[in-house]
Amino acid sequence: KEMARSGVLINAVAPGAVDTNMLQLFTAEEIADLKDEIPIGRIASPKEVAGTIAYLLSERASYITGQTISINGAWYT
């Protein structure tokens, strides 16, 4: 709220499981179990996270501030 009057937008992106090198630490069975836990049934792609970030950086998001955007396939809220 404090920064909004100055035109500063402050948002956060909170990704869940994303298909990155970090998941290489998991076994195929662990990844399958993870996908089963995620209501949408799959792991996010890096492009999906990047798309949300690009939107928040765009002029189209100029009225969004003070938000945490969860990119997690409804895994958690």
Side-chain angles (χ1 to χ4, degrees):
K1 287 183 176 181
E2 296 171 17
M3 301 305 293
R5 292 186 187 268
S6 301
V8 177
L9 307 179
I10 300 174
N11 296 295
V13 175
V18 181
D19 188 14
T20 64
N21 290 341
M22 184 179 81
L23 288 184
Q24 291 179 358
L25 301 173
F26 291 81
T27 66
E29 183 179 335
E30 290 171 326
I31 291 174
D33 290 343
L34 182 60
K35 288 178 183 178
D36 286 342
E37 288 182 34
I38 300 170
I40 205 167
R42 63 181 180 81
I43 293 172
S45 74
K47 286 186 178 186
E48 289 171 309
V49 176
T52 301
I53 294 168
Y55 172 73
L56 288 173
L57 292 170
S58 76
E59 188 62 34
R60 294 176 297 171
S62 64
Y63 202 66
I64 298 173
T65 191
Q67 301 302 305
T68 300
I69 311 296
S70 298
I71 306 170
N72 59 30
W75 189 18
Y76 58 86
T77 55

